[in-house]
Amino acid sequence: MDVCVVLCIIRSWMNHILKFQFLLLKWLVDRRKFASRIICLNFFIVSLIVFLLCVCFRLVALFMDDLGHISHWRAIMAGSLAGMVATVVTYPSDVIKTRLIVQNRLEPSYEGILHAFYKIYHQEGLRALYRGVSPAILGAVPFSAGSFFVYISLDKIWQEPIVRFTPLQNFTNGCVAAAVAQTLSFPFETVKRKMQAQSPWLPHYGGVDVHFTGMADCFRQTVKNKGVLGLWSGLTPSLLKIVPYFGVMFSTFEFCKRVCLYRNGYIESPLNYKLTPGVDQSLHPQELRELKLLRRENFEPRKSALEN
């Protein structure tokens, strides 16, 4: 399928998802439902994934050579840039999510998502919605690069090509890649959360355990008060959430790719990835269809004039 067609489909899905979630969020905020905090997390994850896919498709197309191939390092660079762009675009919703989580439930400072956005903007300015974006961008590089690098390098551990991996192997690869990438980037995640939560308008400055003036000072104060391991505080529950998430995502991605290949006649079954004999794997789906039609026209017996 052409990249432009894929982008149009994803944009269409994204518009419908965002419209539905915006109406649902407005309904929850009007009724001051606590469930809006859960929906806020869902809204952030969905918007981040959809936008990341859009950007990644576009960047992969830009990094391809004339033959449509892309090297491992170019794929890592494209994934890192896609993660950075998606982080910047969706960052205000991440700040609001953190504020809704850390606020006092008995005396809440924000009544919902829209109220939190309005109050933060008018009390602290637009920059407050992007507070902590620097460590988020810096953390996106080791996370994206680490996850892609580990994922594409695990074929050496399994001692067989990636195309022959079973769904269990793909799930394991996704879990390992996410665990390594999250561990490498978690110090930036820790600093980002502290910067998002700290606010003079919240009780006890948002409940942050250290007080700081910026990203570098946050790193320094955290190490000074909590030690170096304080930068990895909370890593275990984060791994329990993100490791199976990426395992399911990568295994689902590989399975869907096999289904698409099966529908286009490149493999015999989406479960074992056994290549169909006599099929040129270098052809695009449309080229393969045209070749099949050409062969069918050449080998089909023509009807004689008497039969007509």
Side-chain angles (χ1 to χ4, degrees), residues 300-308:
E300 282 183 353
R302 297 184 177 179
K303 295 183 179 180
S304 64
L306 295 176
E307 291 178 347
N308 292 333

Side-chain angles (χ1 to χ4, degrees), residues 4 28 30 64 78 86 89 114 119 121 134 144 147 159 170 185 208 212 231 240 245 270 279 286 289 291 294:
C4 296
L28 289 171
D30 291 341
M64 284 181 178
V89 173
L114 299 181
K119 195 170 182 179
Y121 176 77
S134 298
S144 301
S147 60
Q159 295 182 351
N170 288 324
S185 63
V208 183
F212 45 85
L231 295 173
L240 292 176
Y245 170 81
V279 176
Q286 186 60 32
R289 295 191 191 98
L291 180 62
L294 181 62

Side-chain angles (χ1 to χ4, degrees), residues 1 256-270 272-292 295-296:
M1 183 179 293
C256 292
K257 184 172 69 174
R258 294 183 182 186
V259 171
C260 292
L261 291 174
Y262 172 73
R263 290 174 59 87
N264 286 282
Y266 286 95
I267 57 177
E268 292 184 347
S269 171
N272 57 18
Y273 208 96
K274 185 178 180 180
L275 300 179
T276 302
V279 176
D280 187 356
Q281 304 296 319
S282 64
L283 295 175
H284 294 290
Q286 186 60 32
E287 294 175 336
L288 182 61
R289 295 191 191 98
E290 293 176 357
L291 180 62
K292 288 182 178 180
R295 288 179 177 177
R296 189 179 299 120

Side-chain angles (χ1 to χ4, degrees), residues 198-239:
Q198 180 174 273
S199 173
W201 298 92
L202 295 177
H204 308 291
Y205 261 65
V208 183
D209 51 357
V210 293
H211 298 288
F212 45 85
T213 58
M215 181 184 69
D217 188 47
C218 184
F219 272 105
R220 184 169 52 252
Q221 294 296 334
T222 302
V223 174
K224 180 180 178 181
N225 291 274
K226 302 292 183 178
V228 177
L229 294 180
L231 295 173
W232 279 270
S233 178
L235 176 62
T236 301
S238 178
L239 290 177

Side-chain angles (χ1 to χ4, degrees), residues 134-149:
S134 298
I137 294 176
L138 294 176
V141 176
F143 183 86
S144 301
S147 60
F148 277 100
F149 180 77

Side-chain angles (χ1 to χ4, degrees), residues 19-54:
K19 287 179 181 179
F20 170 75
Q21 293 215 355
F22 179 78
L23 294 175
L24 182 59
L25 289 174
K26 184 177 180 181
W27 181 83
L28 289 171
V29 170
D30 291 341
R31 286 154 181 78
R32 301 182 180 182
K33 296 292 185 179
F34 178 73
S36 61
R37 300 185 186 182
I38 302 176
I39 301 298
C40 179
L41 176 61
N42 182 38
F43 174 80
F44 171 72
I45 292 175
V46 170
S47 58
L48 178 61
I49 292 176
V50 174
F51 190 81
L52 181 61
L53 287 174
C54 294

